[in-house]
């Protein structure tokens, strides 16, 4: 299939959605939103079934409710644009093309929780977005000030650590500290930036929040499944012939449907959710749903065809983790190094293949005892790849 | 009343106040949960993950030290999952560690070793990922060996939370994560005060004092050397801890005996020069007060105490603009050295070139202080070797002497007599109290108006304390002070010192005299004291210090008969020419980020 045929097929696919990248006029929306009471907004977001698009999928309305109920003189909204997950590149596109929908999403959240200050934490490597985005933010601040709102947004640039996408590390970094995750609880909704209630959202979540407020929850709720309502922006990479792999699709597709849409069939595995996600082998494509009831993803979908060595794939991910771990906690700092050294030793024959079982156990232990999501999820690719491609790791 | 929370640990109900952690609750039930990164003096980190426990309805294992107790919570501390996770954590730590226990200075007093023993961990469960690190021996006080580091960050939190210095910090992510310094320079190059608080809290052999045990044995063994030893006041209330005595035991007499048995030629007492410091520093204060209040001159006031070398180096780095406010008095340790090599050498007919002055200190910063090039006013280095309470403990153990059954004895005379005022130098507020006992009497001819000489308002453990003393009934020479209210402040721990120093730097300090001790609790909580040290232990040592004070015949420095004698025979008068040469010093600006003139 040539790529234009494929593009057409995707465009016409029944699961294809066009909410996020649709052109619209945001002035009208702002007026509409500002007429609405915070209670109404919260209710609408609740009704929509929106869950966080940053990976963990926490119900958005609940986060807002907690922050709203927290008593404090100051509260904050943070847009997490750190986008560090390997294979994820949608937030960049959204900020580039639809910043006009991200900022109102922050305003809506701020109105609901009672915040007057918002930050966009922009990945350091996206500094080139800064001129346009700053202009956009400036205009927005001006516009809402004219409408009598006290809320304003500021952009802060990260400096290139993957872990700073983790919300508490992000907050530390915003405060000017080394980006090390904090203990949770307390969660940011009760003690976040400067110790004040803070809601951190992925860029995409904020856009959907805008859309839900402006067009009503039905447009979102009618899509997807009961656990995974709505749509999602996917980033497709790996063994596919697409030029640019950013597609908004309904939640709840099976991987089989997905792979058929985006490739020519010779796909042996899909890494769902980036380096910290799960590797799904072909034999599970048909009964694995992409969504919170199956395998969740922050957007990254990497396709591997039969020419790929899963040892190399895993090695790559582990190198990423042993470098990107903040290094403060034992299971993650040392665990990641051990997983990497371990598969190397098994491959070279220094360790017997049974050592893989010890390593799987170690990964299981990392999952339950690491301090933050990074160390907990570094185990995901390891466990799934070793389970399904053990021979490739051994020989 | 704070809110109460009831939870279950191992099916037992326990009630704690809001804010308590699961670890606190378990301790209340006397259930032991192993810890490593946790230390009661500093903020919670929750990074080692040794303290994981099982929480009902949670898939993950939360860290007990970092998890707030919550109503209705059900915790299990001894399940298979918990034991396996802890064992894996410890095994991982060992895979990164230079497992060199037999040759390690912390062998036998190491929390990692203890954990490995308790959990019967095999060192080679995982592949060794030990990296090649050099040992940083650049500081005369402390030594850093990254190959023994477990990245618990206790040192980092200590240096930041307690000392506000942040000489140690974390650098690198992932496998490159390590404890580092400004630009990864050696310790002698950065803004480290040598206080040793990090050393005291390091659970392993990664941060230790630079030890001089062999040097001291060497001097003792050398028949051509006359070796004299001095011991600081805080040593005698803590040394017992490393020798199996109860915390807070006073072992002064036994300590003197053991020092004689170890082979020191003379056993003297830093307390003698602590009394002398009071005379010198008290007169210095009175002089500054006269010049300012009587003569209207622009002299630096308040006067800061100068006996804590960690504080001195801190000021030299961070507050160079207030160096003129520091008393010019050397610390008692250095005064002692200078007098041993002059006054004592002369009296005893010993060539100071053949004399070795050893001091036993609760402090690692004293090692650096002794090595300062300006500390040689007798023509010889004042103090040759400084060992900590811990190092003395090692020497006593090596000697095989049965410390606990020793008879008690008294220090040798000339530089050995002391008063209660000197003993309390070991506790925060003690120098202030001792100075007041003397200065008040100099000015009024009467004892300080406090029951039994106990100036309670300056005592205690609050980080910054204030007091004021109204001066009434002055002798004629001091009439200009009549009715004056002397304003005093005390701080311990550099995080607190900074507050008072900042006021002075900004010209808004309301005080006349400020006592600063770099270490929490004062010297009794010094970086060279037995490990562990924590608030409970500091309180017990403090009680011991005040009871030692009350037990002594003389309790005011100016009553010390040997101090009276040294002024008659040698120094002539406080702040006199000889004092100026031998007992006073000057300070050096060092740069805010690094050492300027190394
Ligand atoms: C190691 C790590 C990296 C993360 N990176 C990102 C990121 O780049 N962008 C993001 O939105 N969320 C990231 N997250 C998730 C955030 O912690 C947080 O859950 C999310 O921003 C919440 O937004 P949501 O409710 O909109 O999903 C990361 C989490 C972890 C553990
Ligand atoms: S899990 Fe990894 S990234 Fe998270 S706190 Fe621990 S070391 Fe840092
Ligand atoms: S630090 Fe502890 S575990 Fe490590 S070598 Fe020394 S004594 Fe052994
Ligand atoms: S000795 Fe004191 S100042 Fe130096 S690093 Fe340790 S705690 Fe910090
Ligand atoms: S040097 Fe000691 S206190 Fe500091 S992190 Fe390493 S082991 Fe912990
Ligand atoms: S003691 Fe709790 S995590 Fe280290």
């Amino acid at each position: 299939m040539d790529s234009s045929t494929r593009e057409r097929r995707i465009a016409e696919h029944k699961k294809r959605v066009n909410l996020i990248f649709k052109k619209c006029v945001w002035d009208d929306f702002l007026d509409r939103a500002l007429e609405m009471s915070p209670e109404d907004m919260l209710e609408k977001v609740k009704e929509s079934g929106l869950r966080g698009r940053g990976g963990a999928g926490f119900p958005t309305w609940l986060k807002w409710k907690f922050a709203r109920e927290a008593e404090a003189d100051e509260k904050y909204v943070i847009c997490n644009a750190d986008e560090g997950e390997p294979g994820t590149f949608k937030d960049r596109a959204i900020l580039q093309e639809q910043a006009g929908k991200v900022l109102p999403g922050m305003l809506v959240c701020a109105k609901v929780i009672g915040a007057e200050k918002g930050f966009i934490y922009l990945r350091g490597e996206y500094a080139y977005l800064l001129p346009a985005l700053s202009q956009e933010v400036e205009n927005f601040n001006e516009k809402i000030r004219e409408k009598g709102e006290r809320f304003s947004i500021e952009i802060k640039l990260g400096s290139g650590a993957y872990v700073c996408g983790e919300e508490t590390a992000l907050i530390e970094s915003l405060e000017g500290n080394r980006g090390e995750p904090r203990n949770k609880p307390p969660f940011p909704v009760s003690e976040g930036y400067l110790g004040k209630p803070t809601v951190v959202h992925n860029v995409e979540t904020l856009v959907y929040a805008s859309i839900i407020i402006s067009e009503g929850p039905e447009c979102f709720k009618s899509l997807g499944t009961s656990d995974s309502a709505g749509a999602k922006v996917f980033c497709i990479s790996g063994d596919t012939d697409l030029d640019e792999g950013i597609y908004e699709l309904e939640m709840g597709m099976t991987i089989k449907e997905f792979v058929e849409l985006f490739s020519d069939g010779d796909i042996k595995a899909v890494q769902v959710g980036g380096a910290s996600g799960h590797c799904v082998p072909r034999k599970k494509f048909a009964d694995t749903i992409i969504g919170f009831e199956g395998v969740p993803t922050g957007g990254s979908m990497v396709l591997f065809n039969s020419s790929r060595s899963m040892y190399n794939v895993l090695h790559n991910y582990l190198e990423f983790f042993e470098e990107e771990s903040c290094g403060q906690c034992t299971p993650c700092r040392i665990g990641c190094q051990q997983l990497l050294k371990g598969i190397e030793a098994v491959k070279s024959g220094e360790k017997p293949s049974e050592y893989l079982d010890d390593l799987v156990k170690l990964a299981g232990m990392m999952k339950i005892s690491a301090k933050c999501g990074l160390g907990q999820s570094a185990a995901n690719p390891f466990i799934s790849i070793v389970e399904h491609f053990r021979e490739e790791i051994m020989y | 009343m704070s809110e109460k929370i009831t939870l279950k640990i191992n099916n037992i109900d326990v009630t704690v106040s809001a804010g308590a952690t699961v670890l606190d609750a378990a301790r209340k039930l006397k259930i032991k949960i192993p810890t490593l990164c946790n230390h009661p003096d500093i903020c919670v980190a929750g990074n080692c993950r040794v303290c994981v426990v099982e929480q009902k309805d949670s898939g993950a294992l939360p860290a007990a030290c970092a998890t707030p107790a919550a109503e209705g919570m059900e915790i299990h501390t001894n399940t298979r999952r918990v034991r396996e996770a802890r064992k894996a954590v410890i095994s991982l730590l060992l895979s990164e560690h230079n497992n060199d226990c037999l040759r390690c200075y912390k062998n036998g007093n190491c929390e990692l070793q203890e954990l490995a023993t308790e959990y019967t961990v095999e060192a080679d469960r995982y592949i060794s990922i030990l990296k090649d690190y050099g040992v940083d021996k650049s500081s005369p006080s402390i030594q850093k060996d990254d190959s023994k580091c477990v990245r618990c960050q206790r040192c980092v939190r200590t240096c930041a939370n307690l000392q506000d210095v942040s000489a140690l910090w974390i650098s690198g992510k992932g496998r490159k994560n390590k404890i580092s310094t400004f630009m990864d320079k050696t310790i002698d190059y950065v803004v480290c005060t040598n206080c040793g608080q990090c050393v005291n809290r390091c659970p392993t052999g990664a941060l230790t004092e630079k030890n001089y045990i062999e040097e001291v044995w060497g001097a003792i063994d050398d028949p051509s050397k006359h070796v004299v030893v001095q011991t600081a006041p805080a040593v005698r209330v803590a040394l017992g801890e490393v020798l199996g005595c109860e915390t807070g035991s006073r072992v002064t007499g036994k300590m003197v005996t053991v020092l004689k048995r170890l082979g020191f030629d003379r056993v003297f007492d830093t307390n003698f020069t602590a009394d002398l410091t009071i005379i010198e520093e008290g007169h210095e204060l009175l002089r500054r007060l006269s010049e300012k209040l009587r003569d209207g001159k622009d002299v630096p006031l308040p006067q800061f105490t100068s006996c804590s070398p960690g504080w001195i180096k801190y000021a030299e780095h961070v507050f160079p603009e207030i160096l003129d406010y520091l008393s010019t008095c050397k610390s008692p340790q250095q005064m002692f050295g200078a007098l041993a090599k002059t006054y004592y050498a002369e009296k005893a007919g010993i060539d100071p070139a053949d004399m070795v002055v050893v001091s036993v200190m609760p402090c690692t910063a004293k090692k650096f202080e002794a090595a300062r090039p300006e500390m040689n006013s007798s023509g010889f280095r004042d103090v040759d070797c400084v060992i900590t309470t811990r190092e003395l403990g090692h020497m006593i153990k090596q000697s095989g002497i049965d410390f606990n059954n020793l008879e008690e004895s008294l220090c040798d005379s000339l530089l050995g007599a002391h008063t209660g005022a000197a003993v309390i130098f070991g506790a925060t507020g003690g120098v202030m109290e001792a100075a007041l006992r003397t200065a008040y009497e100099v000015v009024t001819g009467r004892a300080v108006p406090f029951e039994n000489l106990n100036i309670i308002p300056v005592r205690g453990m609050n980080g910054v304390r204030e007091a004021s003393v109204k001066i009434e009934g002055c002798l004629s020479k001091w009439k200009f002070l009549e009715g004056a209210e002397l304003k005093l402040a005390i701080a311990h721990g550099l995080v607190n010192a900074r507050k008072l120093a900042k006021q002075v730097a900004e010209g808004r300090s309301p005080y006349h005299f400020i006592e600063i001790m770099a270490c929490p609790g004062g010297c009794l909580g010094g970086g060279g004291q037995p490990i562990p040290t924590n608030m409970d232990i500091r309180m017990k040592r403090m009680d011991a210090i005040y009871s030692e004070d009350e037990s002594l015949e003389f309790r005011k420095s100016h009553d010390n008969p040997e101090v009276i004698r040294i002024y008659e025979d040698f120094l002539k008068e406080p702040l006199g020419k000889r004092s100026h040469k031998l007992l006073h010093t000057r300070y050096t600006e060092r740069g805010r980020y690094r050492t300027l003139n190394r």
Side-chain angles (χ1 to χ4, degrees):
Chain A
M1 197 186 301
D2 65 29
S3 60
S4 59
T5 322
R6 182 180 313 286
E7 292 285 359
R8 190 157 17 87
R9 241 184 62 190
I10 298 169
E12 288 163 3
H13 194 271
K14 62 179 194 301
K15 295 280 170 77
R16 189 67 207 277
V17 175
N18 189 15
L19 287 172
I20 288 209
F21 294 96
K22 193 167 70 185
K23 297 242 167 335
C24 62
V25 182
W26 283 93
D27 270 1
D28 304 353
F29 161 72
L30 275 181
D31 289 336
R32 236 174 307 146
L34 294 176
E35 274 166 23
M36 224 179 271
S37 71
E39 290 83 1
D40 273 0
M41 295 196 226
L42 184 61
E43 196 49 44
K44 285 208 158 56
V45 172
K46 179 177 178 182
E47 234 183 283
S48 74
L50 175 61
R51 295 169 65 168
R53 292 308 195 234
F58 194 79
T60 302
W61 76 275
L62 204 53
K63 228 186 219 185
W64 292 13
K65 180 168 175 280
F66 288 145
R68 180 179 163 79
E69 286 167 359
E71 275 176 41
D73 49 349
E74 276 165 30
K75 297 182 186 180
Y76 298 94
V77 178
I78 296 173
C79 167
N80 186 345
D82 196 50
E83 195 164 56
E85 190 64 53
T88 313
F89 37 84
K90 62 179 177 79
D91 294 341
R92 173 184 61 190
I94 296 175
L95 285 169
Q96 221 159 7
E97 297 172 31
Q98 298 291 343
K101 293 181 193 169
V102 180
L103 311 182
M106 293 176 73
L107 174 67
V108 168
C109 173
K111 298 283 284 182
V112 171
I113 69 167
E116 289 180 2
K117 181 86 200 167
F119 292 101
I120 298 176
Y121 187 89
L122 186 65
R123 175 180 175 150
E125 291 87 339
Y126 291 174
Y128 66 91
L129 298 181
L130 210 50
L133 191 59
S134 303
Q135 192 56 52
E136 194 93 39
V137 165
E138 212 172 289
N139 295 345
F140 180 81
N141 283 343
E142 177 80 36
K143 208 173 340 170
I144 59 172
R145 197 176 324 120
E146 279 167 10
K147 294 186 192 290
E149 289 300 317
R150 304 228 276 184
F151 182 67
S152 70
I153 297 173
E154 198 180 318
I155 307 174
K156 295 272 182 141
L157 212 54
S159 43
Y162 166 63
V163 70
C164 286
E166 195 281 336
E167 53 188 2
T168 61
L170 184 154
I171 289 169
E172 284 288 315
S173 168
L174 262 190
E175 290 181 4
N177 302 327
R178 185 183 150 87
E180 284 190 352
R182 298 175 176 175
N183 291 300
K184 294 196 261 188
F187 292 92
V189 285
S190 51
E191 284 176 42
Y193 180 63
L194 304 178
K196 306 289 182 186
T198 303
V199 168
V200 181
H201 274 308
N202 177 251
V203 174
E204 188 185 337
T205 314
L206 290 163
V207 176
Y208 280 125
S210 293
I211 294 169
I212 288 160
I213 296 301
S214 95
E215 304 190 4
E218 252 327 291
C219 75
F220 190 82
K221 197 178 143 189
S222 60
L223 303 171
T225 66
S226 60
D227 272 347
S228 312
K232 158 115 211 58
V233 181
F234 290 87
C235 316
I236 297 105
S237 63
D239 293 310
T240 166
D241 46 19
L242 298 167
D243 290 338
E244 194 191 347
I246 299 178
Y247 297 92
E248 189 178 12
L249 299 163
E250 219 177 297
M251 294 281 270
M253 286 171 88
T254 64
I255 299 204
K256 183 161 183 283
E257 271 180 282
F258 194 90
V259 165
E260 281 168 359
L261 188 55
F262 290 104
S263 77
D264 284 332
D266 175 33
I267 298 298
K268 73 170 172 187
V270 180
Q271 179 73 18
V272 183
S276 63
H278 297 265
C279 183
V280 182
R282 185 178 0 219
K283 64 173 188 270
K284 297 205 149 190
F285 284 180
D287 52 4
T288 304
I289 290 177
I290 306 168
F292 301 113
E293 60 271 74
V295 284
T297 172
S300 170
M301 303 290 287
V302 187
L303 314 186
F304 297 112
N305 68 24
S306 54
S307 75
R308 305 293 163 185
S309 147
M310 294 314 284
Y311 173 84
N312 288 346
V313 168
L314 179 58
H315 195 271
N316 222 319
Y317 288 148
L318 292 174
E319 274 184 335
F320 173 77
F321 283 120
E322 72 144 18
E323 187 168 324
E324 291 300 334
S325 153
C326 83
Q328 66 165 314
C329 81
T330 313
C332 173
R333 177 185 70 253
I334 311 181
C336 291
Q337 294 178 70
Q338 287 298 348
L339 296 181
L340 178 63
K341 282 263 190 284
I343 62 163
E344 286 174 355
V346 169
K347 190 84 175 172
S348 70
E350 273 168 63
K351 287 272 185 191
S353 62
E354 298 82 68
Y355 190 59
L356 285 177
D357 302 326
D358 290 348
L359 294 177
V360 168
K361 252 181 147 173
L362 171 61
M365 170 274 201
M366 290 164 65
K367 221 178 156 87
I368 56 174
S369 64
K371 182 168 171 176
C372 86
L374 191 153
Q376 291 160 7
S377 58
N380 294 336
F382 188 89
I383 294 175
S384 50
I385 293 178
V386 171
E387 180 184 346
H388 300 299
F389 300 94
R390 197 179 168 102
E391 279 74 29
E392 287 194 40
I393 306 300
M394 282 158 51
Y395 309 113
Chain B
M1 268 302 282
S2 64
E3 193 196 328
K4 293 287 177 204
I5 285 168
T6 301
L7 63 159
K8 270 191 171 42
I9 301 186
N10 301 349
N11 300 318
I12 310 169
D13 278 324
V14 55
T15 301
V16 291
S17 311
T21 62
V22 169
L23 180 65
D24 297 329
R27 285 189 174 152
K28 197 166 171 194
L29 290 176
K30 303 244 184 304
I31 293 171
K32 183 179 167 191
I33 295 174
T35 57
L36 188 59
C37 65
N38 194 261
H39 193 289
D41 286 343
I42 47 181
C43 68
V44 168
N47 61 27
C48 75
R49 315 308 279 183
V50 165
C51 67
V52 289
V53 292
E54 187 118 30
Q55 180 180 357
K56 193 177 166 223
D57 299 330
S58 158
L61 303 179
C65 72
T67 305
E71 188 62 41
M73 206 177 214
E74 289 184 33
I75 297 288
H76 289 274
T77 67
N78 182 27
T79 64
R80 170 171 292 274
R81 263 174 21 122
V82 163
R83 278 191 311 271
E84 282 181 354
R86 289 180 188 162
K87 198 164 171 162
V89 166
I90 300 163
S91 305
L92 286 174
L93 286 170
L94 295 187
S95 76
E96 190 189 42
H97 194 80
N98 173 6
N99 302 307
D100 191 21
C101 295
L102 283 182
R103 283 179 297 175
C104 182
Y105 187 59
K106 288 294 284 291
N107 194 0
N109 186 12
C110 168
E111 293 180 39
L112 179 61
Q113 197 180 45
E114 231 170 89
L115 286 169
T117 312
E118 240 171 61
Y119 282 80
T120 55
V121 174
E122 323 90 68
D124 55 356
R125 175 153 164 202
Y126 301 114
I127 299 166
S128 170
I129 52 163
L130 172 65
K131 284 142 201 106
D132 194 12
Y133 301 108
V135 182
D136 181 353
K137 297 183 178 177
S138 65
S139 158
S141 297
I142 67 177
Q143 187 165 312
K144 178 163 164 281
D145 180 353
D146 294 334
S147 73
K148 307 267 177 76
C149 174
V150 294
R151 275 72 165 178
C152 65
Q153 299 184 17
R154 277 195 198 174
C155 53
V156 170
R157 283 174 286 144
T158 298
C159 199
N161 294 176
L162 301 180
Q163 302 301 62
D164 209 3
V165 173
S166 295
L168 295 176
W169 206 253
I170 314 127
S171 77
K173 307 194 298 283
R175 70 175 182 299
K176 296 200 182 121
N177 178 296
K178 67 170 203 146
I179 304 305
S180 187
T181 53
F182 176 69
M183 306 278 285
D184 212 10
K185 298 289 184 196
T186 49
I187 302 241
D188 65 334
Y189 187 83
V190 300
V191 185
C192 165
T193 68
N194 297 307
C195 70
Q197 288 301 315
C198 53
V199 170
N200 201 292
R201 283 169 192 74
C202 179
T204 68
L207 281 167
T208 53
E209 63 270 26
K210 174 83 95 38
N211 89 71
Y212 295 86
I213 297 174
E214 283 315 313
E215 282 80 350
V216 175
W217 281 130
I220 290 174
D221 292 344
D222 184 343
S224 70
K225 297 291 181 201
H226 182 82
V227 190
V228 304
V229 63
Q230 56 167 326
T231 58
V235 175
R236 63 206 67 188
V237 295
L239 177 65
E241 290 168 32
V242 288
L243 297 165
C245 309
E246 239 177 83
T247 306
S249 303
R250 288 156 45 198
V251 297
T252 316
K254 287 182 177 157
M255 179 182 73
V256 174
T257 309
V258 86
L259 289 168
K260 290 182 175 169
R261 296 256 191 110
L262 289 178
F264 289 102
D265 296 300
R266 286 289 180 283
V267 178
F268 292 132
D269 202 331
T270 314
N271 277 351
F272 165 76
T273 33
D275 279 330
L276 194 66
T277 301
I278 287 304
I279 309 294
E280 291 288 325
E281 193 163 334
H283 280 88
E284 184 187 357
L285 177 64
L286 289 174
R287 181 159 81 191
R288 290 194 197 212
L289 286 171
S290 326
E291 287 177 358
K292 178 118 174 182
L293 302 180
R294 187 189 59 203
D295 313 338
K297 280 201 212 150
D298 186 21
V299 285
L301 267 175
Q303 175 176 307
F304 282 99
T305 58
S306 59
C307 33
S308 170
W311 151 239
I312 296 299
K313 186 154 186 270
Y314 176 74
E316 288 176 330
H317 279 296
V318 183
F319 289 102
E321 63 272 45
I322 66 163
L323 292 181
D324 288 343
Y325 293 78
L326 306 188
S327 162
T328 58
C329 286
K330 284 183 183 173
S331 73
Q333 152 172 288
Q334 297 303 132
M335 286 196 183
F336 178 94
L339 292 174
K341 292 194 178 175
T342 52
Y343 174 61
Y344 167 69
E346 206 178 289
K347 293 265 178 200
I350 294 163
D351 180 354
D354 295 332
M355 190 185 295
V356 176
V357 174
V358 173
S359 46
V360 185
M361 293 287 140
C363 176
T364 50
K366 296 271 181 208
K367 294 173 189 269
F368 173 84
E369 182 186 41
R372 282 174 178 257
E374 66 271 25
M375 294 293 180
N376 68 344
S377 43
S378 65
F380 300 93
R381 187 172 149 152
D382 294 347
V383 174
D384 299 283
C385 238
V386 181
I387 58 172
T388 58
T389 311
R390 297 191 290 267
E391 289 161 80
L392 177 59
H394 282 293
M395 291 184 68
I396 296 171
K397 287 181 191 164
Q398 287 168 14
S399 74
I401 296 169
D402 178 8
F403 181 81
N404 292 307
N405 291 314
L406 287 178
E407 72 284 9
E408 309 206 335
S409 52
L410 290 173
C411 283
D412 293 312
S413 62
L414 217 58
L415 307 174
H418 65 270
T419 73
V423 172
I424 59 176
F425 262 61
T428 166
V431 179
M432 177 65 70
E433 180 165 350
L436 284 177
R437 287 183 193 170
T438 290
Y440 193 92
E441 205 162 313
V442 169
V443 172
T444 65
R446 286 172 288 113
V448 277
F450 287 91
E451 195 185 332
N452 199 18
L453 298 177
N454 294 335
I455 311 181
I456 302 296
V458 303
R459 298 185 183 178
M461 282 290 184
N462 287 339
V464 176
R465 305 189 293 285
E466 292 185 299
S468 65
V469 174
K470 197 164 176 139
I471 305 178
E472 280 164 329
C474 292
L475 299 174
S476 57
K477 184 178 169 199
W478 302 101
K479 270 296 173 233
F480 68 93
L481 280 175
E482 186 62 41
E485 185 138 306
L486 212 51
K487 288 199 155 68
L488 314 165
I490 295 145
H492 58 124
L494 292 172
V495 68
N496 298 312
R498 179 186 283 266
K499 297 174 192 156
L500 297 178
K502 197 154 177 279
Q503 285 181 341
V504 175
E506 290 169 357
R508 52 184 182 85
S509 177
Y511 307 110
H512 297 104
F513 189 39
I514 299 178
E515 179 205 289
I516 306 262
M517 293 294 156
C519 293
C523 306
L524 59 86
Q529 292 285 61
I531 299 170
T533 293
N534 55 41
M535 187 52 104
D536 256 9
I537 294 174
R538 285 192 292 270
M539 292 302 287
K540 288 185 178 144
R541 293 179 192 155
M542 182 177 260
D543 291 344
I545 284 210
Y546 288 117
S547 64
E548 179 108 345
D549 169 29
E550 295 219 36
S551 76
L552 289 168
E553 181 188 356
F554 298 116
R555 302 197 39 225
K556 295 177 283 194
S557 297
H558 52 277
D559 290 344
N560 182 328
E562 289 180 0
V563 167
I564 295 170
R565 185 164 163 211
I566 199 173
Y567 278 109
E568 282 168 359
D569 287 4
F570 187 71
L571 294 170
K572 306 302 175 202
E573 55 169 346
L575 309 181
K577 238 175 116 180
R578 266 214 169 122
S579 293
H580 185 75
K581 179 165 186 290
L582 295 173
L583 308 183
H584 291 257
T585 186
R586 60 188 187 282
Y587 306 108
T588 321
E589 183 175 344
R590 285 179 194 273
R592 283 217 156 89
Y593 304 102
R594 61 184 179 85
T595 295
L596 289 174
N597 18 354
R598 187 155 49 143

